[in-house]
Amino acid sequence: MIWRDDWSFGAGDMAESLTITRPTDGHLHLRDGAGMADVVGHSSRVFARAVVMPNLAPPIVTTGQAVAYRDRILAALPPGSDFEPLMALYLTDATPPAEIRAAKASGAIVAAKLYPAGATTHADRGVTDVGRIAHVLSEMEACGLPLLVHGEVVDPAVDIFDRERVFLERVLAPLVERWPGLRVVLEHVSTREGVEFVGAAPPRVAATVTPQHLLLDVNDLLAGGVRPHHYCLPVLKGREHRQAVARAATGDSPKFFLGTDSAPHARSRKECGCGAAGVFSAPAALEFYAEAFEAAGALDRLEAFASLRGADFYGLPRPAGTVTLVREPWEVPASCPFGEDVVVPMRAGEAVAWRVAAGSEGG
Ligand code: DOR
Ligand code: ZN
């Protein structure tokens, strides 16, 4: 990591530029088709690679489908990009253990994702009961394929704000205990209880952290009017939870690493009577994290969080090349092309303090 504060001005010794190893996005939705071609460049411009979520319609449930999807992503990349899509398999009640072996052997698939059936976008074919995938989890444990978890119960008796906490008690704690060799990522951790669970768990249990759960709370969703572009799942929680998530991400535990969960939906699907869940952060994701880390006085840990811990968790080599962030305010676009429609990014039309310098891609 290289600090450049030699031309700092004003407030003492604030860093004016920061160069870090190219980051890894541990959780990214790219969709498919024309929409994918429109959004993938936002991520490939900055990130060396990303774990690509499999919740397409229909979902990516076989190794063959994952490899074909990866090829479509590679074909949609801007010319010259060496961005690496790391694929994840979508688990269903019917996933055969042999599919896990095929996934591992393919070299293209780095994880399998547990969506509780009905928990979120295109999760209708997800898992209805962990007991039904017991043999699959044993196979993943045996062959070293990590399990990524959307950690929310779908029990309608549980309030939406409690769904992560109750999932930890009912599902994740027993799962971590029953498969003692399984590596597990609690995706998009959103609660104090989630942070505490991961912190107290063995080193094989980690969590990804999104920019929205670091920077926003439920007031940014609901106070003064409903802001549909801040609606995501897990839903934004109260201030206390955001602070716990921020402390974990900006602290020195290797268990918390970057996963944007950037999830584009067409504007017409967000600004309507029943809006879809998802925050599209890709156009300024690393910059948002830089803001949060600066606010916590932890810019010196941004590289570990963004570029090192996730790669280490997945056992991947640290990517070559660097990106440079400069303190240079700019305005996030009001909208970005997305197939036939547009998608409204996080902080649309507003300023961000940091900018990724052009030409950072090398490596
Ligand atoms: O907000 C979300 N959007 N949460 C998810 O779990 C899925 C994602 C999506 O695919 O849109
Ligand atoms: Zn997601």
Side-chain angles (χ1 to χ4, degrees):
M1 185 169 66
I2 304 163
W3 289 93
R4 291 284 302 278
D5 55 8
D6 43 321
W7 70 89
S8 68
F9 49 88
D13 55 0
M14 285 199 313
E16 292 304 312
S17 133
L18 174 61
T19 297
I20 62 172
T21 303
R22 285 171 77 200
T24 294
D25 187 345
H27 185 135
L28 178 64
H29 297 270
L30 287 175
R31 314 307 188 198
D32 209 347
M36 169 181 68
D38 285 331
V39 297
V40 67
H42 294 291
S43 297
S44 69
R45 181 180 66 91
V46 174
F47 292 87
R49 55 198 172 196
V51 182
V52 180
M53 291 299 121
N55 62 332
L56 304 182
I60 301 295
V61 298
T62 69
T63 302
Q65 289 165 350
V67 169
Y69 182 32
R70 183 187 61 168
D71 290 345
R72 294 196 295 279
I73 297 167
L74 291 172
L77 286 171
S81 172
D82 62 354
F83 177 80
E84 191 187 359
L86 307 168
M87 308 313 290
L89 218 55
Y90 180 114
L91 296 176
T92 74
D93 285 354
T95 303
E99 197 61 59
I100 299 300
R101 289 191 286 279
K104 182 73 182 177
S106 75
I109 295 172
V110 299
K113 177 92 187 255
L114 166 59
Y115 287 102
T120 188
T121 308
H122 302 149
D124 39 301
R125 288 190 53 199
V127 173
T128 60
D129 181 344
V130 166
R132 300 202 175 182
I133 59 163
H135 295 305
V136 167
L137 296 181
S138 297
E139 189 61 47
M140 290 173 65
E141 180 182 41
C143 73
L145 195 73
L147 177 72
L148 314 184
V149 178
H150 182 107
E152 292 192 288
V153 292
V154 294
D155 181 349
V158 178
D159 284 349
I160 190 162
F161 290 108
D162 298 327
R163 289 183 178 183
E164 183 172 288
R165 179 177 58 74
V166 173
F167 184 88
L168 302 171
E169 296 160 14
R170 287 192 193 165
V171 184
L172 199 56
L175 186 156
V176 166
E177 199 177 314
R178 179 166 171 194
W179 286 277
L182 187 63
R183 277 182 295 150
V184 177
V185 184
L186 176 61
E187 297 294 331
H188 37 57
V189 63
S190 69
T191 57
R192 178 174 56 75
E193 293 87 353
V195 163
E196 288 171 358
F197 177 90
V198 171
R204 64 190 168 87
V205 179
T208 53
V209 180
T210 76
Q212 65 267 25
H213 292 105
L214 261 182
L215 289 167
L216 305 176
D217 64 42
V218 69
N219 297 288
D220 299 294
L221 175 66
L222 295 176
V226 178
R227 292 184 175 72
H229 299 290
H230 289 168
Y231 172 59
C232 61
L233 289 171
V235 75
L236 296 171
K237 307 297 193 298
R239 200 163 288 143
E240 169 217 356
H241 295 284
R242 187 194 66 73
Q243 287 166 350
V245 169
R247 271 196 303 277
T250 60
D252 54 16
S253 165
K255 289 174 168 172
F256 297 91
F257 54 84
L258 185 155
T260 62
D261 198 13
S262 178
H265 288 276
R267 179 159 65 187
S268 56
R269 298 266 297 114
K270 295 284 286 178
E271 299 176 6
C272 58
C274 182
V279 171
F280 179 54
S281 58
L286 188 62
E287 294 90 332
F288 292 144
Y289 287 110
E291 260 191 33
F293 274 65
E294 180 166 44
L299 266 181
D300 58 336
R301 293 208 180 109
L302 181 64
E303 182 177 48
F305 172 81
S307 312
L308 310 182
R309 298 176 189 164
D312 290 353
F313 182 87
Y314 280 100
L316 297 167
R318 293 175 176 184
T322 57
V323 294
T324 296
L325 284 151
V326 291
R327 184 191 303 283
E328 190 182 296
W330 62 289
E331 201 173 283
V332 179
S335 68
C336 301
F338 187 54
E340 304 280 278
D341 202 325
V342 295
V343 51
V344 177
M346 180 170 164
R347 195 91 64 85
E350 293 175 33
V352 197
W354 292 88
R355 179 200 278 279
V356 172
S360 290
E361 255 180 66

